[in-house]
Amino acid sequence: MPRWQTLVTVEDLARALGRPDVVVLDARSSLADPAACEQAYWQSHIPGAYFADLDCDLSDHSRPGGRHPWPTAAKFTDRLGEWGITPQHQVVVYDAGDGGLSAARTWFLLRALGHRDVAVLDGGWKHWTEQDCLVEVGAPVAPTPAAYHADFDPALLLDAAQVQSHLAAGGMLVDARAGERYRGEVEPIDKVAGHVPGAINRPYSLNLENGHFKPAAALRDEFTDLLDGRDPDEVVVMCGSGVTACHHLLAMAHAGLPGAKLFTGSWSGWIEDPTRPVATGA
């Protein structure tokens, strides 16, 4: 049976629905109206999919670390078990189709646990419905609870102090936010505008073309130019709260350049301490 570790097409997932080793997660999210996505899920979703809430399942707001604090391994693996997921399952995640944002966050949560067979649905819910694929209304069949035992790889997850050390040693930090937010020209969400001094900007939208990820070869060329001779494991990515940055991690892995790290708190975590420096401009 085919296994997917970065992206999966709508056609391939449609053929795989019903396989006992496949679990689908609906990770649609909205910063403007978080409750709307769960409501949309109950109205219609990919058959058998379980809803993964960005705030409740993919973050832990009892912890520090920005607007979407990284959850503990214990909390996240408990949730995986409730969905019936084990390390042997093929997991497929989708979101609304806006570039795989919350889906990419879910993908990296699993990858940081060491789960290999997890992929994001390329084009997401938007492409699924455009292709007139089957949908389901209401609750899916209840999963059989499972046990998932794993810890996050700490080498992949950096806090603000570790990012400061990384930059001081000459490391690369890539900010995935839009250019105007990186430059501090606008800030619609966080209380301080700007970026981490020393960070460079590559908006996550550059990974996309017509609502889909660019071909792997094109992404490899672009990221190879960006890395400028560095290995991927010498690179840390960030965004506003550790969600859209995962889009870069997925794109790099799809391009054959795995190993980059995540600044989990990202900009919203950086500015929790007002003594940390802030840069603006290009």
Side-chain angles (χ1 to χ4, degrees), residues 194-219:
H195 61 266
V196 176
I200 63 172
N201 185 220
R202 176 186 163 90
Y204 78 86
S205 59
L206 295 179
N207 300 330
L208 300 170
E209 198 169 62
N210 299 321
H212 295 267
F213 278 80
K214 291 177 179 176
L219 288 170

Side-chain angles (χ1 to χ4, degrees), residues 110-173:
L110 279 152
R111 288 304 290 261
L113 288 174
H115 195 113
R116 289 185 55 80
D117 294 334
V118 54
V120 168
L121 180 65
D122 192 21
W125 176 248
K126 182 175 185 292
H127 190 50
W128 183 269
T129 53
E130 286 174 346
Q131 297 303 306
D132 292 325
C133 294
L134 291 174
V135 299
E136 179 179 61
V137 177
V141 175
T144 301
Y148 199 115
H149 301 294
D151 289 316
F152 291 125
D153 181 350
L156 296 175
L157 308 170
L158 277 66
D159 61 19
Q162 291 169 315
V163 166
Q164 286 179 304
S165 298
H166 173 76
L167 287 168
M172 176 178 281
L173 178 62

Side-chain angles (χ1 to χ4, degrees), residues 40-54:
Y41 164 81
W42 289 112
Q43 292 168 3
S44 186
H45 53 261
I46 292 177
Y50 304 113
F51 185 68
D53 187 279
L54 174 60

